[in-house]
Amino acid sequence: MTEPTTLPTSPPPRAVERTTIGETARSQLAHGGGVLLTGPAGIGRTTLVSQLVAELRGRGHRILRCSPSPADEHTPYLGLIDLLADLGDHAFAALAPHERAVLDRALLRSAEPARDDPGARNVTAGGRDALVLRIAVRKVLALLCGAGPLLLVVDDAQWLDRPTADILTHLARRADPGMSVLATVRSGEGPESFPAGLGDRGGVLDLCPRPARRITVPPMTAHEVAELLERHDQPSWPGRLVARLHEASGGNPRAALELSSALDERVRLEGAELPDPAEPLPVPHSLRRPILDRIGALPDRARRTLVVAGVAVRPTVQLLRRAGRTHAPCDLDACVRQGLIGGLAASDHATIRFLDPLTPMVLRAETPYEQVLDAHRALADASDDPVERAHHIARLAAGPDPVVAGRLAAAATAARRRGAPGTAARLGRLAAEYTPAGQTDVDIDRRLTAAQDAIEAGDLGFARQLAHEVLGDARRAADRVSAWNVVIDSCGQAMAEISDVFPEALRDAAGDPGLLAQLHYRMSWRAWMVGGSAARAHVHAVRAAGLAARTGDRRTELMALTQRAALELFLGLPQAEATLAAALAAPHDAHAMTHHNGPLYLKHRFHLVRDELDEARSELRTLVYRLRQRGSADSLSQCLIGLAQVEIERGRCRPALTIARQSLRITEEAGLSQGPAWYAVALAETAGGSLSRALAAAEAAERHSEDDNDRLFLPRALHAAGRIALFAGQYERAAELLRRTGELETAQGQQDPATRRWHADLAEALAAVGAPDEAEAVLLAGRRKAAQLGRPGVLATLDRAEAAIDVARGRPARAAGTLEHAATRLRTIGYPLEEARTRVALGRVRRLLGDEPAARAAFSGALRVFTMADARPWVATTRAERDRAEDGRTRVPEGGSWSDHLTSTERSVVTRVAQGATNREIAAGLVVSVKTVEAALTRAYRKLGAKSRVDITRMVMAQPTA
């Protein structure tokens, strides 16, 4: 590749990829029709459009784009001029002379007509020439559609001029095949957000051909905001401050960047400290001015009511009335008209919603201090909610006050009972701050409780901060060990980072059996996750359970028993069932029973190893429901990961993909370790999404697990990547990854092959790379353990692997019989995807034996199962295999495998095409340009005699390269 002659001095930051919404829009546009992206200013509509345009252009779409501005909406045909500006005269060659003349006048391509020219008036006023213009534009676009897919882009359509809007609306009702429309419109700012040219009904959606879909661009998650700030070279703010920037901006990327820049300016230029949690963030003029303009348009009485609403924790009409704002409904209606709050609900108990989360902050900053204090006093007297009242009392207190501290502690308890641990953590911290200096033990108890609440809320940075505050002051052994436990629990999967904590904690425990029980439980996790030894972890779990039982600590006893049962299951020990039963026996502990390391969660894994998929799903769905009501983000995320895996096994790929993405979103927003969630996404994408996205997710899972030194999830990430390589026909790579998986799992002490089902995949990969003896050794070891423990599902998949070994040794007839038997067993047990995968293998063997009807029957049976399961990657490849015999055009050139006729670059491109990757995705993966990919693919088509990507897929699936 040649170097460009000039390089930009400061390349624009790469946009944050918003995967889910981008996939939805791409899927809709890929088949024609239209997409309307809506959202407030700064939410990222234009950035998403640019990402979609770049990808669709890479796939061969012709793009026509216009981006009107407020000054354009009263200039006729300016939008049409922008859309057609880049077209040469050849695009108008099919027009009749009078059509060309009318179009040239509208596009200002001809001399300016005289003022009394009736043609000029008719084009604008909707006469005969306006109809001719519509016909001419439609002919031009039809000609472009004939040459390939066409995408019209109208960004900020609220400012589109009316004549252009009328033409595009007309075209949308009569769209040619191959034409799609991507439009955006600003929303959420009152009546001016509706385009003047499109009337009061239908609006911008009428620009889109059917089927059309309106998609609201959602706010960014906290993780996406952090990524956005990093890519725009913003300071590396602490996680809690990033969370505040996310909350204050409402997830609006433009607002988040401007708030961060204002904060950076204050800290860097003015030398200010980072703001305290109770201190407001600096709001720049660009964000403050529009809010102040709206507030300034309010009557004085409405503004005072809005101040009280902005000070309240949960403002309602009823609360405002009780606080002395007797005309609250009328005042709030004025605020609605100014676009400050959302429309009022019918109930006076409904929470008042600010459209811009910065409004209360700006309002308080612009309101005299005494007036703000008056609002707090009124709300403290009016509220019957302990959380609300305590918040206002704290704002009125001048310093430490035992009464205020007590009320705040009671409010924290109330918030905890409601299932709001984040609120409880903040109130508990306030309670500690208002505790008088002489009550050190009370202060520490309140901070420790707040730290536990922060962990439940997923605010791990805040939890660690509170724990270290306690460690700086505490003298009692129990307090110090509790603080160390918070530090350990808040590290998630990254337990390797806190290796120095355990010696300190053991020294503080000073031989106390109750404190040692808590530490040995956590040491069990460290021995498994960091040390990679299930046997050593089991020793710690046994000791923790015994010590906890002796000291009456039922919670620690239940958690340790659960850990012990999980390890015994992994190690293939016969007492695992009895240990789990002991953990499930009364008396129960509410925390343990809803925790992802508790016995109820582990129960579903015992169902899975026994192939009881419906029972496992039922357990997890019940637990997920309870956790959504009240529970920690970590536990909810882990339960969703388990549920996604169960749904994959049950052949429900689309729900599995949705659930896995939910888990990842929760993990990102809470700042938790992401390795397990990316692993779940990799499995779900492999089953029902795309192999290219599955590989990216598996690599992310591996990267996060490596970063955390998490040996528990690392082999799972490697297994996911190995399966993807196996399914894509990259057998050498699959064998490498799956060998490493087996080595890690074996080193940890795995004895039950149903707990980590990698044996069959490794044996298949080894057979494919010409190592049948090694494959047979893996198979025999897995079969012996599975038979001993009674694992029929594992045995059935091992039968499929045995057939692969038979094929490698030249015994296809024997392999066919084994596969028939395995497919029947898998259908009986209830593993639809594994059954269909086995039938695909059977079809290949039948074809190898020359029995084409039987091969097509096997492929058709697999295709039915994959289609019902919505297993999209498998549907495409299985259909191609089934139909291969009908298409005589696609034949591997004589003289060996298809790969023998290609260069290394061409082989890499062809392999990725067969996996379903786009040219742009291939270019990114190979670190080459899109043009290089296109050139390599063109040469491969010529050498292989292929005419389409479907032909390529058929060829690769028929003769995968070793």
Side-chain angles (χ1 to χ4, degrees):
M1 295 176 64
T2 59
E3 292 288 333
T5 54
T6 59
L7 291 173
T9 55
S10 56
R14 186 162 58 93
V16 175
E17 180 69 27
R18 304 174 78 176
T19 307
T20 303
I21 189 170
E23 287 175 0
T24 303
R26 275 191 295 271
S27 176
Q28 179 76 10
L29 293 171
H31 304 97
V35 169
L36 173 62
L37 297 176
T38 69
I43 199 66
R45 291 170 289 116
T46 299
T47 301
L48 274 169
V49 166
S50 298
Q51 292 172 345
L52 289 166
V53 164
E55 181 163 341
L56 292 174
R57 182 178 282 123
R59 292 183 178 182
H61 281 65
R62 178 72 177 267
I63 311 294
L64 302 181
R65 182 171 183 172
C66 70
S67 302
S69 66
D72 298 343
E73 61 179 320
H74 300 301
T75 305
Y77 298 113
L78 194 54
L80 189 64
I81 292 171
D82 286 345
L83 279 173
L84 305 183
D86 293 335
L87 299 182
D89 287 343
H90 64 280
F92 308 112
L95 298 180
H98 71 288
E99 295 169 343
R100 176 66 183 266
V102 172
L103 182 57
D104 281 346
R105 283 202 300 274
L107 300 181
L108 304 182
R109 293 192 179 206
S110 62
E112 183 68 25
R115 289 181 177 274
D116 58 353
D117 184 344
R121 290 196 302 271
N122 286 340
V123 170
T124 303
R128 177 180 179 276
D129 280 0
L131 177 59
V132 173
L133 179 61
R134 291 181 178 182
I135 294 172
V137 173
R138 185 180 177 191
K139 282 186 177 181
V140 170
L141 298 184
L143 179 66
L144 295 175
C145 287
L150 175 67
L151 175 67
L152 304 186
V153 179
V154 186
D155 194 14
D156 277 330
Q158 70 272 6
W159 292 314
L160 190 65
D161 63 273
R162 185 183 187 100
T164 299
D166 287 341
I167 289 175
L168 295 181
T169 303
H170 172 81
L171 290 172
R173 291 194 290 266
R174 300 164 178 80
D176 291 286
M179 188 183 91
S180 51
V181 173
L182 174 61
T184 76
V185 64
R186 180 179 298 185
S187 62
E189 296 187 3
E192 72 271 18
S193 65
F194 296 98
L198 296 177
D200 296 327
R201 60 170 191 78
V204 183
L205 197 61
D206 285 347
L207 298 176
C208 300
R210 298 296 182 263
R213 181 167 184 175
R214 182 191 300 268
I215 303 175
T216 300
V217 180
M220 282 187 165
T221 65
H223 174 75
E224 288 171 337
V225 166
E227 187 179 356
L228 176 79
L229 297 178
E230 179 183 348
R231 291 185 178 180
H232 285 77
D233 296 324
Q234 291 293 306
S236 299
W237 303 118
R240 186 159 180 78
L241 192 51
V242 172
R244 287 193 65 194
L245 290 169
H246 170 256
E247 182 180 5
S249 66
N252 185 297
R254 184 190 301 171
L257 284 171
E258 294 190 30
L259 285 169
S260 178
S261 296
L263 181 60
D264 179 40
E265 182 177 349
R266 192 178 79 171
V267 172
R268 182 167 45 85
L269 299 182
E270 301 176 16
E273 298 289 334
L274 293 181
D276 185 84
E279 182 184 354
L281 297 171
V283 182
H285 178 79
S286 58
L287 298 177
R288 190 171 64 249
R289 185 73 263 163
I291 296 173
L292 290 177
D293 289 343
R294 293 189 178 97
I295 293 173
L298 292 174
D300 183 65
R301 192 185 71 192
R303 173 171 174 154
R304 286 180 172 271
T305 298
L306 192 65
V307 169
V308 179
V311 167
V313 175
R314 185 179 173 272
T316 65
V317 171
Q318 184 190 56
L319 178 62
L320 296 180
R321 279 176 168 156
R322 291 167 59 179
R325 309 311 300 169
T326 54
H327 299 93
C330 295
D331 296 340
L332 294 174
D333 280 338
C335 298
V336 171
R337 289 193 295 273
Q338 291 301 322
L340 289 161
I341 64 173
L344 297 178
S347 170
D348 284 356
H349 299 278
T351 302
I352 296 165
R353 181 176 61 89
F354 285 90
L355 295 178
D356 188 333
L358 290 175
T359 299
M361 193 183 303
V362 172
L363 193 61
R364 285 196 294 272
E366 298 294 326
T367 302
Y369 181 65
E370 283 301 324
Q371 189 176 334
V372 173
L373 286 181
D374 288 343
H376 280 300
R377 289 189 190 97
L379 288 166
D381 293 337
S383 178
D384 57 3
D385 175 58
V387 175
E388 180 90 39
R389 188 187 306 115
H391 169 79
H392 300 297
I393 290 173
R395 295 297 181 272
L396 294 169
D401 184 319
V403 175
V404 172
R407 289 190 176 184
L408 286 166
T413 300
R416 193 177 308 113
R417 287 173 178 166
R418 291 177 188 170
T423 301
R426 291 192 297 272
L427 289 169
R429 167 75 179 277
L430 277 174
E433 290 178 353
Y434 281 97
T435 301
Q439 301 179 13
T440 305
D441 291 346
V442 176
D443 177 299
I444 288 174
D445 286 342
R446 287 169 175 169
R447 289 180 195 273
L448 285 172
T449 303
Q452 293 291 346
D453 288 330
I455 287 179
E456 288 295 304
D459 196 345
L460 305 183
F462 187 35
R464 282 191 294 273
Q465 176 188 336
L466 289 166
H468 285 295
E469 289 174 3
V470 170
L471 288 169
D473 298 333
R475 296 293 176 265
R476 293 183 301 186
D479 293 338
R480 295 188 62 81
V481 172
S482 294
W484 288 124
N485 287 340
V486 169
V487 173
I488 296 167
D489 294 346
S490 65
C491 75
Q493 306 296 119
M495 295 192 79
E497 298 177 0
I498 54 167
S499 57
D500 58 335
V501 165
F502 288 95
E504 293 279 349
L506 287 169
R507 187 160 45 249
D508 284 333
D512 183 297
L515 301 179
L516 288 174
Q518 299 170 23
L519 291 174
H520 277 290
Y521 167 68
R522 289 164 175 83
M523 289 164 70
S524 173
W525 276 108
R526 186 175 184 278
W528 199 2
M529 294 175 64
V530 181
S533 172
R536 287 198 299 272
H538 184 255
V539 171
H540 284 294
V542 170
R543 188 170 183 190
L547 289 170
R550 202 171 82 201
T551 56
D553 182 356
R554 183 60 175 166
R555 174 175 297 183
T556 301
E557 181 189 6
L558 290 180
M559 299 297 284
L561 283 171
T562 304
Q563 172 76 337
R564 177 181 162 186
L567 289 160
E568 288 167 354
L569 181 67
F570 183 78
L571 293 166
L573 300 178
Q575 64 266 36
E577 294 274 2
T579 304
L580 177 62
L584 289 166
H588 298 144
D589 176 84
H591 174 84
M593 289 299 166
T594 56
H595 199 277
H596 65 278
N597 291 326
L600 285 180
Y601 177 79
L602 182 61
K603 191 176 177 183
H604 96 273
R605 291 191 176 171
F606 277 75
H607 285 305
L608 283 181
V609 300
R610 295 192 295 260
D611 303 321
E612 299 166 354
L613 301 183
D614 290 342
E615 291 84 349
R617 178 175 183 265
S618 178
E619 293 285 355
L620 282 175
R621 279 173 57 87
T622 301
L623 194 51
V624 165
Y625 176 80
R626 293 173 64 181
L627 288 169
R628 288 193 192 278
Q629 305 304 310
R630 60 178 65 187
S632 73
D634 197 6
S635 289
L636 178 57
S637 174
Q638 292 291 341
C639 286
L640 289 173
I641 290 169
L643 186 57
Q645 292 176 257
V646 172
E647 294 291 30
I648 292 168
E649 298 288 7
R650 296 176 70 245
R652 301 180 76 247
C653 296
R654 182 168 295 183
L657 199 51
T658 300
I659 292 166
R661 288 172 178 164
Q662 284 179 8
S663 171
L664 179 60
R665 186 165 60 250
I666 291 168
T667 299
E668 291 174 339
E669 290 175 350
L672 303 168
S673 299
Q674 295 180 27
W678 277 117
Y679 163 72
V681 171
L683 295 183
E685 288 284 1
T686 303
S690 92
L691 290 187
S692 59
R693 289 196 300 270
L695 181 58
E699 289 172 346
E702 181 181 355
R703 185 172 61 254
H704 282 285
S705 297
E706 291 274 19
D707 290 345
D708 292 339
N709 196 17
D710 179 3
R711 296 195 183 184
L712 189 57
F713 262 94
L714 177 59
R716 302 189 209 183
L718 294 170
H719 184 195
R723 282 168 60 91
I724 296 164
L726 180 64
F727 299 159
Q730 299 172 356
Y731 297 125
E732 291 286 356
R733 177 63 175 159
E736 174 191 345
L737 290 165
L738 293 168
R739 273 194 187 105
R740 191 176 170 205
T741 300
E743 290 167 359
L744 288 171
E745 296 284 19
T746 302
Q748 287 186 26
Q750 183 191 6
Q751 293 295 318
D752 188 340
T755 56
R756 308 276 197 274
R757 304 190 182 208
W758 50 267
H759 297 78
D761 292 327
L762 174 56
E764 287 186 46
L766 291 171
V769 298
D773 292 340
E774 185 182 354
E776 189 165 31
V778 171
L779 183 139
L780 290 174
R783 191 187 295 281
R784 183 176 63 253
K785 296 169 186 173
Q788 179 184 357
L789 295 169
R791 305 294 188 233
V794 174
L795 290 169
T797 59
L798 290 173
D799 285 344
R800 183 178 63 232
E802 181 182 352
I805 296 171
D806 284 336
V807 170
R809 287 175 168 165
R811 301 193 294 252
R814 177 177 170 179
T818 302
L819 289 169
E820 289 276 15
H821 177 65
T824 301
R825 290 182 69 186
L826 287 166
R827 182 177 66 248
T828 303
I829 297 169
Y831 287 101
L833 294 188
E834 293 293 346
E835 176 205 344
R837 181 179 162 192
T838 304
R839 293 194 183 281
V840 169
L842 176 61
R844 291 171 181 163
V845 172
R846 291 296 187 194
R847 182 162 284 160
L848 185 64
L849 291 167
D851 190 349
E852 190 60 41
R856 284 182 53 79
F859 287 131
S860 295
L863 185 59
R864 280 194 299 273
V865 178
F866 283 139
T867 302
M868 290 181 62
D870 204 11
R872 283 177 282 180
W874 287 97
V875 167
T877 54
T878 306
R879 183 179 289 119
E881 292 228 41
R882 183 198 64 182
D883 298 341
R884 183 165 65 89
E886 297 178 354
D887 192 348
R889 300 172 306 170
T890 309
R891 299 187 182 280
V892 179
E894 295 181 3
S897 168
W898 61 267
S899 61
D900 296 338
H901 303 270
L902 305 180
T903 67
S904 61
T905 299
E906 291 163 357
R907 281 197 298 273
S908 298
V909 170
V910 166
T911 300
R912 284 166 168 79
V913 165
Q915 295 170 17
T918 65
N919 288 358
R920 186 166 295 276
E921 290 169 338
I922 296 170
L926 297 178
V927 198
V928 297
S929 70
V930 174
K931 287 186 177 180
T932 300
V933 172
E934 292 170 348
L937 190 56
T938 299
R939 294 194 301 271
Y941 280 159
R942 184 173 62 252
K943 292 178 180 179
L944 300 176
K947 295 185 178 181
S948 68
R949 298 172 94 89
V950 174
D951 288 350
I952 290 289
T953 301
R954 289 171 176 167
M955 192 175 301
V956 173
M957 294 303 296
Q959 264 188 321
T961 183

